[in-house]
Amino acid sequence: MTSTMNTARDKLLDRLVAEPAHPVRLTAAETPKLDRDALVRAQRETLEAPRRKYSLAARFLFRTMDLIYGRRRTLVKFQVLEVVARIPYQIWENAAYRLLTRKHRDGKLARRIQERIVENREQQDNEEWHLLITSELVRSSGVRLGRVRHRFLPWLMAVGYYHTAWLLFVLRPKWSYRLNADFEDQAEHEYAEFVAEHPEFETVRHGSAFATEYGALDSMADLLRQIGHDERMHKQESERYLTEVPLA
């Protein structure tokens, strides 16, 4: 049964790759906006790629989300994921501003810090678009959200994630970068799997109030693929931070 589903999925992806492409564009956060066949290729790459070896903190976060919202992938669950996704970038940006106050006389280092501030702001803004768009999708789906499960608990998770990411950053920045790389890798794979599970998304036209800022995509499938590719870019940026010389 699984083999049959995988074969059908591959045939669908092959058909989509053959369709006409559109020019590459950029999102508001400067994350590459891919054309249709590039999005399908990116999704396939994600589906075929192994996941990172997640840290204990990351596994605890993912397990908590599964316990509260179920293991099944849903738009509501992605909305909750995006509530917490931008938090590490806020922490890193604020830390970089404080560091810049102390190190601004060192021209070379100050330049690196300024570049990191800009990058963290772009990452944060991109994740904010994801939150706005997934919230829009949930509203249009007609799902009724409860006050506790869908408002209070996501806020509580965001608070807990903030303090965890902040503490890891204070103790050792690389621990915070690794946690975020794990988080973004999970998000990248979950979006790719979600699209693969719902071939009907290919024919669902997507119109968004945020299309001008984020970028317009033809279908809901391509929209979710693009968000998944954004998450891959964020993961790779965090992995790069792990290999770079620390700012301070």
Side-chain angles (χ1 to χ4, degrees):
M1 181 65 177
T2 300
S3 176
T4 302
M5 291 177 63
N6 289 338
T7 300
R9 181 178 69 189
D10 289 343
K11 288 182 178 179
L12 176 62
L13 293 176
D14 287 333
R15 178 175 62 80
L16 293 171
V17 167
E19 293 186 16
H22 301 291
V24 173
R25 302 180 297 278
L26 294 178
T27 67
E30 300 301 317
T31 302
K33 181 60 63 69
L34 305 182
D35 57 40
R36 185 175 177 82
D37 56 343
L39 285 171
V40 174
R41 285 197 300 271
Q43 180 196 7
R44 172 174 286 161
E45 291 168 358
T46 298
L47 292 171
E48 294 174 352
R51 299 196 182 209
R52 285 174 54 87
K53 185 177 181 180
Y54 299 144
S55 65
L56 180 62
R59 294 199 303 272
F60 176 79
L61 175 64
F62 304 152
R63 180 58 175 164
T64 299
M65 291 192 66
D66 286 345
L67 287 174
I68 297 174
Y69 300 100
R71 295 181 62 86
R72 189 169 66 91
R73 301 173 185 92
T74 66
L75 287 172
V76 171
K77 193 174 180 182
F78 283 110
Q79 177 182 275
V80 174
L81 179 150
E82 298 297 350
V83 167
V84 302
R86 66 193 187 279
I87 286 175
Y89 306 116
Q90 294 173 337
I91 294 171
W92 302 344
E93 181 191 11
N94 291 335
Y97 273 122
R98 292 194 296 271
L99 182 61
L100 185 62
T101 300
R102 302 196 307 271
K103 302 291 185 178
H104 64 276
R105 295 181 182 85
D106 184 338
K108 186 176 181 180
L109 178 57
R111 180 63 177 175
R112 287 185 61 211
I113 297 171
Q114 189 271 340
E115 290 173 350
R116 183 65 64 84
I117 289 172
V118 171
E119 194 166 64
N120 291 160
R121 169 54 62 179
E122 289 176 347
Q123 293 162 332
Q124 185 179 161
D125 288 348
N126 185 255
E127 295 290 8
E128 183 177 336
W129 291 122
H130 295 174
L131 175 59
L132 294 172
I133 290 168
T134 53
S135 296
E136 183 182 55
L137 291 173
V138 170
R139 287 195 302 272
S140 65
S141 71
V143 175
R144 298 187 63 180
L145 303 181
R147 290 180 178 272
V148 174
R149 192 160 176 259
H150 301 108
R151 295 186 184 181
F152 175 72
L153 289 181
W155 172 83
L156 191 63
M157 291 178 63
V159 171
Y161 190 55
Y162 177 91
H163 288 290
T164 300
W166 176 83
L167 180 61
L168 292 175
F169 187 81
V170 170
L171 294 175
R172 191 178 182 190
K174 285 189 175 183
W175 291 350
S176 185
Y177 300 149
R178 181 189 174 187
L179 175 61
N180 192 65
D182 290 348
F183 184 92
E184 299 290 10
D185 181 76
Q186 166 85 349
E188 175 195 351
H189 281 86
E190 290 297 291
Y191 276 111
E193 294 284 358
F194 188 49
V195 174
E197 292 169 352
H198 294 275
E200 70 274 14
F201 288 168
E202 305 293 349
T203 58
V204 176
R205 307 297 294 180
H206 179 254
S208 173
F210 310 108
T212 300
E213 296 87 355
Y214 181 75
L217 292 112
D218 293 334
S219 69
M220 185 171 168
D222 285 346
L223 172 70
L224 296 173
R225 288 187 181 109
Q226 179 61 55
I227 294 176
H229 185 265
D230 291 349
E231 310 294 19
R232 180 195 296 183
M233 296 295 98
H234 297 321
K235 174 189 70 176
Q236 292 176 351
E237 287 157 352
S238 291
E239 290 174 335
R240 174 168 59 81
Y241 296 163
L242 287 168
T243 63
E244 288 183 344
V245 176
L247 292 177

